Amino acid sequence: RYIINIDNTGDGKADIAYRIRPRTKVMNADSFLYATGPVSYDAATGKYTNLNVQQRYDLTRVTFRSNGSLRSVNRIGRGLLSPPNNVGPKSTPDYASTLVPPAIHSLRGGGKVFVGQRDDPFFVDLGATFDLINIDAPGRPGIGLGDQGGGDDGLTGYNVHSIALQLPKTALTRKGGMPTDATSTNSTIGIWTSVERRVPMIVRRNGKARIGSKWTQVSRLGNPLVNEVIIPLGKKDRWNATKPSGDSRYLKHFTSPELAAAINLLFPGAVNAPTTNRQDLVAVLLKGLPPGTPTGLVTQIGTAPKIADMLRLNLAIAPS
């Protein structure tokens, strides 16, 4: 199951979580085909036609007490339809106009959800990045950073499997209020995603043992590239299995990032990035920006935030 976690107290633990549990059904298990013909949507039955592999999902809103115990579990969407993969114009004709709209669902209490393929919005020159950040040489003269031109978006034209959740702000804040003061640390929430899988376990009851299962976290992601370039290879499994509230054990990898040293080595004399005491990274990635910074932006949660890798969103700032 896929989980979107929200922390509105600053302790690095989920106060609210939205769980997405997908369920896949193969209509004809004796066929290898994904689609048996051009896929269309039948409004009368609420199903896609000619689609052999169909997927629906449940959406559950979970709230927690300060000690981490469950407060409430409410299923706000059951058996919601997910669209077919955008195979191509012959298999999935009129994908955007006819196949996607039935998979955009309104939620009880406000909001919408969509689980399916979307155009990848990220921009990265993957080839140059993995070639020791080859943005200027050798073999690629004139390549520059950002809008200097020449960069290649290796993701353009490709879809990513996405979970898009639109929610009222009042569903995410500590006391259900509408944040209006952008300078208040109560206006910010922290967000990260995690994935859990069922794993086998031995259950003993009345002296007898049987095989059961439990949900176990296998991955998480908050700020982009923290898992990829800050957490070292030997600690990634632990990182992916733990929650942001325990991120103080990784503090040295933020204050003395290997990436800064690597970039200095790759571009000697040109970058000169600080390699120690990176309190700027701690503020931006792990604690949030407190009131009074030169940016004027407040992303700190509460008055005593815990070190935790989360995306931070100040809900009192209007979208732009």
Side-chain angles (χ1 to χ4, degrees), residues 288-308:
L289 298 175
T293 63
T295 66
L297 177 65
V298 175
T299 60
Q300 178 178 302
I301 307 170
T303 56
K306 198 166 185 178
I307 287 176

Side-chain angles (χ1 to χ4, degrees), residues 6-9 16 18 61 165-191 297-301 311-320:
I6 295 97
D7 171 19
N8 54 34
T9 58
I16 305 167
Y18 289 85
R61 186 180 192 268
L165 192 57
Q166 182 186 61
L167 298 166
K169 295 178 182 180
T170 53
L172 305 176
T173 52
R174 192 177 312 175
K175 297 182 180 179
M178 176 64 74
T180 57
D181 183 2
T183 65
S184 171
T185 58
N186 291 326
S187 296
T188 300
I189 59 172
I191 309 164
L297 177 65
V298 175
T299 60
Q300 178 178 302
I301 307 170
L311 287 170
R312 289 169 172 82
L313 179 64
N314 189 321
L315 296 177
I317 299 176
S320 62

Side-chain angles (χ1 to χ4, degrees), residues 74-90:
N74 296 303
R75 187 172 298 175
I76 58 176
R78 182 192 298 270
L80 301 177
L81 192 64
S82 184
N85 292 332
N86 189 1
V87 180
K90 188 175 182 179

Side-chain angles (χ1 to χ4, degrees), residues 59-71:
L59 176 62
T60 303
R61 186 180 192 268
V62 185
T63 63
F64 300 90
R65 298 183 178 91
S66 57
N67 62 4
S69 61
L70 282 175
R71 181 189 299 273

Side-chain angles (χ1 to χ4, degrees), residues 74-314:
N74 296 303
R75 187 172 298 175
I76 58 176
R78 182 192 298 270
L80 301 177
L81 192 64
S82 184
N85 292 332
N86 189 1
V87 180
K90 188 175 182 179
S91 298
T92 49
D94 304 317
Y95 181 79
S97 60
T98 62
L99 300 183
V100 167
I104 300 175
H105 306 281
S106 296
L107 300 174
R108 294 194 302 271
K112 295 180 181 181
V113 64
F114 172 83
V115 176
Q117 290 187 331
R118 296 284 81 185
D119 182 45
D120 195 328
F122 206 68
F123 187 107
V124 59
D125 190 341
L126 280 175
T129 298
F130 288 112
D131 186 21
L132 295 178
I133 316 182
N134 186 11
I135 58 175
D136 59 349
R140 302 187 71 199
I143 299 297
L145 292 172
D147 60 2
Q148 296 173 26
D152 173 61
D153 182 7
L155 306 179
T156 187
Y158 291 96
N159 281 338
V160 287
H161 292 288
S162 306
I163 297 172
L165 192 57
Q166 182 186 61
L167 298 166
K169 295 178 182 180
T170 53
L172 305 176
T173 52
R174 192 177 312 175
K175 297 182 180 179
M178 176 64 74
T180 57
D181 183 2
T183 65
S184 171
T185 58
N186 291 326
S187 296
T188 300
I189 59 172
I191 309 164
W192 73 97
T193 61
S194 55
V195 181
E196 296 179 346
R197 297 187 67 178
R198 284 279 194 184
V199 297
M201 62 178 296
I202 301 298
V203 179
R204 298 186 183 276
R205 184 175 298 172
N206 299 326
K208 296 182 179 180
R210 64 179 180 86
I211 297 178
S213 64
K214 65 176 181 178
W215 288 107
T216 300
Q217 181 177 304
V218 295
S219 74
R220 68 163 159 126
L221 193 64
N223 285 292
L225 300 180
V226 165
N227 194 335
E228 293 85 343
V229 304
I230 292 182
I231 305 305
L233 292 174
K235 297 181 180 179
K236 287 191 188 297
D237 285 345
R238 181 199 289 176
W239 170 273
N240 281 309
T242 54
K243 302 183 185 303
S245 57
D247 284 350
S248 59
R249 72 181 70 178
Y250 307 101
L251 182 59
K252 68 177 182 180
H253 300 297
F254 290 83
T255 56
S256 300
E258 181 186 11
L259 179 61
I263 290 179
N264 289 342
L265 184 64
L266 291 169
F267 302 96
V271 177
N272 298 320
T275 57
T276 59
N277 196 30
R278 292 297 300 268
Q279 295 304 316
D280 56 329
L281 296 182
V282 174
V284 171
L285 300 175
L286 296 179
K287 283 191 171 183
L289 298 175
T293 63
T295 66
L297 177 65
V298 175
T299 60
Q300 178 178 302
I301 307 170
T303 56
K306 198 166 185 178
I307 287 176
D309 170 44
M310 300 183 290
L311 287 170
R312 289 169 172 82
L313 179 64
N314 189 321

